[in-house]
């Protein structure tokens, strides 16, 4: 067969883009070569509907071992009793949990998307907001922080069946113990979607949701530095409170409910090549080297946040506990929008994303904020001492957004600088 040069030339271009630029998108990272090798392996050819040793297809003896390794490694990484590694993404993991524990129309309570939450936590444009009755909590205007007393009041008012914590742009840690008390007080199940900080949680750098939340979902490709995908975990299995029974009339355990909500509930055949890559990444994350990496991710985020504050930018909540920060550009300049900042920095090969800020006044396509994260640049090898340089470039670019000569000059400097931090060299 002829080589598909159209596609492989494009992949080469993307490799160069990743090598030359500074990647500050908080949800991205660079996987190891062995993670990519697993994703590109012959396992992509195999159908394996079902679970290890309980499949609907023959020839699964190898993928059974692969998937079991992924499950076992994930369980030891997070110290959880049960895991399903088949969700194709974080959104699929959340869809399966909701299908498993809710009926259409049930009330759910999640963190408002415009305050830092996620689409799948009840946004009206997402299945979670269309199929269920969404309610939201947010951050306080003055502090940029979640007030748990307010969450308790909202939960009491809306009586959710499922409470969701976790975010895509909240730079502070979560009080899972308090959230569980609130969930218990209204008889709700508590789901933690730890997609962003999962790697940092696994290594004990942030509060641990496993002992407090009934169900935990995460993507595997952010701070966890694995292939694109999702997983579902439970610290401990428990009888499902919805009272669903098996054919023998016994109350089904939640693990059985969630397994069948993934398949056949919301997915068909699992992606065993991706599951193999998840296993590789979980193995890497179990290492001491990954612990050092997580410390550096946080140190870099704190250093970048203070370097930006020094230059007149305001961070929502005043700082960061994790790998990211949400910057409100309005304190710096009235004309600077998230959209303009994203486009400007792109011209310098600095990749970020525009982001709504709490109590946003602009549309989600324009926004007043940007989100920066340090997972990917830390994988490249950048340290705290480099964050002043990055903040300088970001600030210089944003204050000279109309001057293409300045942007071109920064682009050249960025490219030279990143040569010292080789990627897939
Ligand atoms: N798109 C992801 C993020 O950037 O946070 C969330 O799904």
């Amino acid at each position: 067969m002829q080589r598909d040069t159209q596609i492989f030339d494009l992949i080469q271009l993307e490799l160069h883009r990743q090598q030359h630029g500074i990647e500050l998108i908080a949800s991205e990272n660079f996987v190891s070569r062995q993670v990519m090798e697993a994703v590109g392996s012959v396992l992509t050819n195999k159908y394996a509907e079902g679970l290890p040793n309980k499949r609907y297809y023959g020839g699964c003896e190898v993928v059974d071992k692969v998937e079991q390794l992924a499950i076992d490694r994930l369980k030891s990484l997070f110290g959880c009793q049960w895991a399903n590694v088949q969700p194709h993404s974080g959104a699929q993991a959340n869809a399966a949990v909701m299908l498993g524990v809710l009926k259409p129309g049930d009330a759910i309570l999640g963190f408002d998307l415009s305050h830092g939450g996620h689409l799948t936590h009840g946004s009206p444009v997402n299945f979670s907001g269309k199929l269920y009755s969404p309610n939201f909590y947010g951050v306080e205007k003055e502090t940029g922080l979640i007030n748990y007393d307010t969450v308790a009041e909202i939960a009491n008012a809306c009586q959710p069946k499922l409470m969701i914590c976790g975010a895509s742009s909240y730079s502070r840690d979560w009080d899972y113990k308090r959230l569980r008390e609130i969930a218990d007080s209204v008889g709700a199940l508590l789901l933690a979607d730890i997609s962003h900080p999962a790697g940092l949680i696994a290594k004990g750098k942030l509060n641990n949701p496993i002992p407090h939340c009934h169900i935990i979902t995460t993507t595997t490709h952010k701070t966890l530095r694995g292939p694109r995908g999702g997983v579902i975990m439970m610290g401990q299995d428990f009888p499902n409170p919805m009272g669903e029974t098996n054919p023998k009339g016994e109350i089904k355990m939640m693990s059985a409910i969630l397994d069948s909500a993934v398949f056949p509930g919301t997915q068909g055949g699992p992606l065993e090549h991706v599951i193999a890559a998840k296993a590789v990444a979980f193995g890497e994350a179990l290492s001491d080297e990954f612990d050092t990496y997580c410390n550096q991710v946080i140190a870099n985020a704190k250093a970048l946040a203070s370097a930006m504050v020094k230059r007149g930018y305001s961070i929502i909540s005043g700082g960061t506990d994790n790998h990211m920060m949400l910057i409100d550009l309005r304190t710096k300049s009235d004309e600077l929008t998230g959209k303009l900042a994203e486009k400007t920095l792109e011209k310098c090969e600095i990749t970020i994303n525009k982001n709504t800020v709490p109590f946003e006044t602009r549309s989600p396509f324009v926004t007043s904020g940007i989100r920066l994260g340090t997972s990917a640049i830390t994988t490249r090898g950048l340290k705290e001492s480099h964050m002043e340089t990055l903040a300088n470039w970001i600030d210089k670019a944003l204050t000279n957004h109309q001057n293409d000569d300045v942007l071109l000059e920064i682009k050249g400097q960025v490219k030279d600088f990143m040569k010292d931090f080789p990627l897939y060299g």
Side-chain angles (χ1 to χ4, degrees), residues 77-125:
L77 184 61
F78 283 93
C80 62
Q81 193 194 67
W82 175 87
N84 184 305
V85 296
Q86 294 190 356
H88 302 330
S89 67
Q92 291 288 128
N94 289 342
V97 171
M98 289 185 194
L99 180 77
V101 307
L102 297 170
K103 296 208 170 15
D106 277 351
I108 60 173
L109 173 60
F111 186 35
D112 195 330
L113 176 63
S114 69
H115 285 220
H118 191 254
L119 269 179
T120 57
H121 300 178
S123 164
V125 297

Side-chain angles (χ1 to χ4, degrees), residues 25-28 91 118-119 167-169 195-196 219 221-222 228 324 353 355 371:
I25 292 183
S27 46
E28 295 189 10
H118 191 254
L119 269 179
S168 46
S169 48
S195 289
H196 267 270
T219 54
H221 49 272
K222 299 185 173 93
R228 307 195 73 79
M324 68 155 82
N353 65 281
N355 215 101
R371 185 183 64 163

Side-chain angles (χ1 to χ4, degrees), residues 34-82:
Q34 56 174 355
V35 166
M36 285 196 291
E37 198 180 327
V39 175
S41 71
V42 295
L43 300 182
T44 193
N45 298 328
K46 189 71 197 99
Y47 247 120
E49 285 177 4
L51 288 167
N53 306 312
K54 281 182 262 173
R55 307 281 190 186
Y56 290 84
Y57 289 84
C60 288
E61 61 275 18
V62 178
V63 291
D64 277 353
K65 290 196 174 74
V66 167
E67 189 167 334
Q68 195 55 54
L69 258 180
I71 293 168
D72 293 344
R73 287 181 183 175
L74 182 64
K75 280 160 65 175
S76 70
L77 184 61
F78 283 93
C80 62
Q81 193 194 67
W82 175 87

Side-chain angles (χ1 to χ4, degrees), residues 156-203:
N156 201 33
C158 69
Q159 295 287 309
K161 285 261 165 38
L162 180 70
M163 269 177 59
I164 308 153
C165 56
S168 46
S169 48
Y170 186 60
S171 59
R172 296 304 187 177
D173 205 354
W174 292 76
D175 187 344
Y176 301 108
K177 187 167 178 289
R178 179 76 208 281
L179 285 162
R180 176 60 184 265
E181 285 162 7
I182 298 170
D184 284 347
S185 74
V186 296
L189 287 175
L190 179 61
L191 164 67
D193 178 345
I194 59 167
S195 289
H196 267 270
L200 309 178
I201 289 171
K203 300 312 269 188

